[in-house]
PDB file of all heavy atoms in Angstrom:
ATOM      1  N   THR A 305      37.323  96.186 145.080  1.00 96.00           N
ATOM      2  CA  THR A 305      36.364  97.081 145.822  1.00 96.00           C
ATOM      3  C   THR A 305      35.769  96.293 146.958  1.00 96.00           C
ATOM      4  O   THR A 305      35.952  95.105 147.180  1.00 96.00           O
ATOM      5  CB  THR A 305      35.181  97.376 144.794  1.00 96.00           C
ATOM      6  OG1 THR A 305      34.563  96.275 144.530  1.00 96.00           O
ATOM      7  CG2 THR A 305      35.675  98.130 143.535  1.00 96.00           C
ATOM      8  N   ARG A 306      34.953  97.068 147.767  1.00 96.00           N
ATOM      9  CA  ARG A 306      34.390  96.459 148.938  1.00 96.00           C
ATOM     10  C   ARG A 306      33.476  95.264 148.529  1.00 96.00           C
ATOM     11  O   ARG A 306      33.421  94.200 149.277  1.00 96.00           O
ATOM     12  CB  ARG A 306      33.594  97.494 149.596  1.00 96.00           C
ATOM     13  CG  ARG A 306      32.805  96.992 150.876  1.00 96.00           C
ATOM     14  CD  ARG A 306      32.206  98.170 151.529  1.00 96.00           C
ATOM     15  NE  ARG A 306      32.528  98.224 152.826  1.00 96.00           N
ATOM     16  CZ  ARG A 306      32.176  99.231 153.795  1.00 96.00           C
ATOM     17  NH1 ARG A 306      31.675 100.345 153.255  1.00 96.00           N
ATOM     18  NH2 ARG A 306      32.433  99.227 154.988  1.00 96.00           N
ATOM     19  N   SER A 307      32.910  95.392 147.393  1.00 95.00           N
ATOM     20  CA  SER A 307      32.016  94.278 146.911  1.00 95.00           C
ATOM     21  C   SER A 307      32.725  93.181 146.147  1.00 95.00           C
ATOM     22  O   SER A 307      32.229  92.301 145.442  1.00 95.00           O
ATOM     23  CB  SER A 307      30.909  94.885 146.013  1.00 95.00           C
ATOM     24  OG  SER A 307      31.537  95.538 144.882  1.00 95.00           O
ATOM     25  N   CYS A 345      35.239 103.461 149.522  1.00 96.00           N
ATOM     26  CA  CYS A 345      34.270 102.386 149.778  1.00 96.00           C
ATOM     27  C   CYS A 345      33.915 102.458 151.317  1.00 96.00           C
ATOM     28  O   CYS A 345      32.792 102.238 151.617  1.00 96.00           O
ATOM     29  CB  CYS A 345      34.906 101.110 149.530  1.00 96.00           C
ATOM     30  SG  CYS A 345      34.881 100.589 147.703  1.00 96.00           S
ATOM     31  N   CYS A 348      31.019 104.681 151.708  1.00 95.00           N
ATOM     32  CA  CYS A 348      29.840 104.400 150.686  1.00 95.00           C
ATOM     33  C   CYS A 348      28.934 103.290 151.286  1.00 95.00           C
ATOM     34  O   CYS A 348      28.032 103.599 151.907  1.00 95.00           O
ATOM     35  CB  CYS A 348      30.384 104.166 149.317  1.00 95.00           C
ATOM     36  SG  CYS A 348      29.152 103.521 148.137  1.00 95.00           S
ATOM     37  N   GLY A 349      29.215 102.069 150.947  1.00 94.00           N
ATOM     38  CA  GLY A 349      28.445 100.963 151.523  1.00 94.00           C
ATOM     39  C   GLY A 349      27.140 100.737 150.750  1.00 94.00           C
ATOM     40  O   GLY A 349      26.284  99.945 151.257  1.00 94.00           O
ATOM     41  N   CYS A 351      26.644  98.895 148.246  1.00 97.00           N
ATOM     42  CA  CYS A 351      26.622  97.417 147.945  1.00 97.00           C
ATOM     43  C   CYS A 351      26.195  96.591 149.071  1.00 97.00           C
ATOM     44  O   CYS A 351      25.384  95.629 148.954  1.00 97.00           O
ATOM     45  CB  CYS A 351      28.004  96.963 147.394  1.00 97.00           C
ATOM     46  SG  CYS A 351      29.363  97.383 148.458  1.00 97.00           S
ATOM     47  N   CYS A 385      26.567 100.402 142.120  1.00 97.00           N
ATOM     48  CA  CYS A 385      27.942 100.967 142.588  1.00 97.00           C
ATOM     49  C   CYS A 385      28.180 102.238 141.896  1.00 97.00           C
ATOM     50  O   CYS A 385      27.939 102.291 140.634  1.00 97.00           O
ATOM     51  CB  CYS A 385      28.997 100.052 142.293  1.00 97.00           C
ATOM     52  SG  CYS A 385      30.570 100.714 142.752  1.00 97.00           S
ATOM     53  N   PRO A 386      28.451 103.308 142.623  1.00 96.00           N
ATOM     54  CA  PRO A 386      28.823 104.585 141.851  1.00 96.00           C
ATOM     55  C   PRO A 386      29.868 104.467 140.892  1.00 96.00           C
ATOM     56  O   PRO A 386      29.808 105.221 139.857  1.00 96.00           O
ATOM     57  CB  PRO A 386      29.333 105.502 143.065  1.00 96.00           C
ATOM     58  CG  PRO A 386      28.838 104.834 144.375  1.00 96.00           C
ATOM     59  CD  PRO A 386      28.705 103.358 144.000  1.00 96.00           C
ATOM     60  N   PHE A 387      30.815 103.607 140.959  1.00 96.00           N
ATOM     61  CA  PHE A 387      31.810 103.423 139.992  1.00 96.00           C
ATOM     62  C   PHE A 387      31.223 102.916 138.641  1.00 96.00           C
ATOM     63  O   PHE A 387      31.764 103.294 137.582  1.00 96.00           O
ATOM     64  CB  PHE A 387      32.976 102.388 140.442  1.00 96.00           C
ATOM     65  CG  PHE A 387      33.879 102.997 141.401  1.00 96.00           C
ATOM     66  CD1 PHE A 387      33.821 102.586 142.767  1.00 96.00           C
ATOM     67  CD2 PHE A 387      34.791 103.999 141.099  1.00 96.00           C
ATOM     68  CE1 PHE A 387      34.641 103.200 143.600  1.00 96.00           C
ATOM     69  CE2 PHE A 387      35.648 104.564 142.005  1.00 96.00           C
ATOM     70  CZ  PHE A 387      35.620 104.186 143.280  1.00 96.00           C
TER      71      PHE A 387
HETATM   72  S1  SF4 B1920      28.893 100.351 146.232  1.00 82.62           S
HETATM   73 FE1  SF4 B1920      30.179 101.699 147.327  1.00 82.62          FE
HETATM   74  S2  SF4 B1920      31.202 100.498 148.839  1.00 82.62           S
HETATM   75 FE2  SF4 B1920      30.355  99.076 147.334  1.00 82.62          FE
HETATM   76  S3  SF4 B1920      32.155  98.794 145.898  1.00 82.62           S
HETATM   77 FE3  SF4 B1920      30.864 100.438 145.070  1.00 82.62          FE
HETATM   78  S4  SF4 B1920      31.861 102.277 145.894  1.00 82.62           S
HETATM   79 FE4  SF4 B1920      32.580 100.593 147.081  1.00 82.62          FE
END
Side-chain angles (χ1 to χ4, degrees):
T305 64
R306 183 177 228 168
S307 58
C345 280
C348 171
C351 48
C385 178
F387 285 107

